Amino acid sequence: MRHIMLSFSFLLLSWQVHAHGPTPQKAKESVTIQASLAKVWSELKNFDDIANWHTDLKKSTGDGKNQSGGLRTLTFQNDETITEELDYYNDAEHEYSYRLKTENTKAIPTSSHTVDVKVTAGETADSSVVTIKSRFYRGDTGNTPPDNLSDEAAVKAMTQFFKNGLSGLKAKLEK
């Protein structure tokens, strides 16, 4: 009986070692912009208007609500769309948080993501720092995802999305 119990324990342990789901991934990017905090926040604060400065997007539309529950739909250059929802919005602190509401791994290879955006004063009165950070899961949450929906693909896509957005924002505001 002891031999059977040991064998069963070994099988259970080995199954648990091989059966694991995805782990949360993270991305974080910041940029210093030569513009006042007020000017930068003025461009960022309207949740629906991201396509005005983000080069990866053809358009963005929303319900105009800069508050918890506000929705926006992003249309990427490849015509794929996702919907995101505001969870937190603080105009006085120049920050907001949002999450993926409707996934589309052809647009961005994540099954879920949450994003925090914050603007702070820079080292000089005419500079600001924008920081975007995210926590997310890969597009395929199974144990053996294809390469295009893996952790690496999700990290690469989110990081590039943030870099492209911050670069577009900086270019627009420093004209």
Side-chain angles (χ1 to χ4, degrees):
M1 181 66 156
R2 184 174 181 195
H3 179 61
I4 292 172
M5 291 301 288
L6 283 173
S7 295
F8 179 72
S9 296
F10 176 74
L11 284 173
L12 185 60
L13 179 63
S14 66
W15 173 78
Q16 288 175 336
V17 167
H18 294 293
H20 61 83
T23 56
Q25 302 299 309
K26 295 179 181 178
K28 181 179 179 182
E29 294 295 323
S30 293
V31 67
T32 298
I33 298 174
Q34 297 306 310
S36 70
L37 188 145
K39 182 176 179 181
V40 174
W41 181 243
S42 178
E43 188 65 39
L44 275 176
K45 72 180 185 176
N46 293 319
F47 184 60
D48 300 347
D49 294 341
I50 185 173
N52 291 344
W53 48 268
H54 201 303
T55 58
D56 291 353
L57 301 172
K58 274 189 180 179
K59 70 178 181 172
S60 56
T61 58
D63 58 15
K65 295 180 183 174
N66 287 332
Q67 62 188 3
S68 181
L71 295 172
R72 73 178 177 194
T73 299
L74 308 182
T75 303
F76 288 76
Q77 295 297 341
N78 64 359
D79 290 321
E80 297 294 337
T81 64
I82 61 172
T83 302
E84 296 174 321
E85 181 176 2
L86 269 172
D87 287 327
Y88 172 78
Y89 187 91
N90 189 322
D91 192 42
E93 295 295 321
H94 312 105
E95 64 183 335
Y96 54 84
S97 301
Y98 61 91
R99 65 185 157 86
L100 181 64
K101 180 118 172 119
T102 306
E103 76 177 79
N104 178 349
T105 57
K106 292 178 183 175
I108 197 147
T110 63
S111 59
S112 69
H113 62 250
T114 57
V115 179
D116 299 319
V117 178
K118 181 152 179 75
V119 183
T120 56
E123 292 182 12
T124 64
D126 62 343
S127 70
S128 303
V129 178
V130 180
T131 302
I132 304 175
K133 62 182 180 176
S134 181
R135 183 176 186 269
F136 51 90
Y137 287 92
R138 66 184 179 227
D140 182 331
T141 57
N143 288 337
T144 55
D147 289 344
N148 66 321
L149 300 176
S150 67
D151 287 339
E152 294 80 14
V155 169
K156 181 179 178 184
M158 288 298 280
T159 300
Q160 195 61 54
F161 184 74
F162 292 163
K163 284 181 178 182
N164 292 349
L166 291 173
S167 178
L169 181 65
K170 182 178 176 76
K172 179 174 183 174
L173 292 172
E174 290 184 352
K175 280 194 223 182

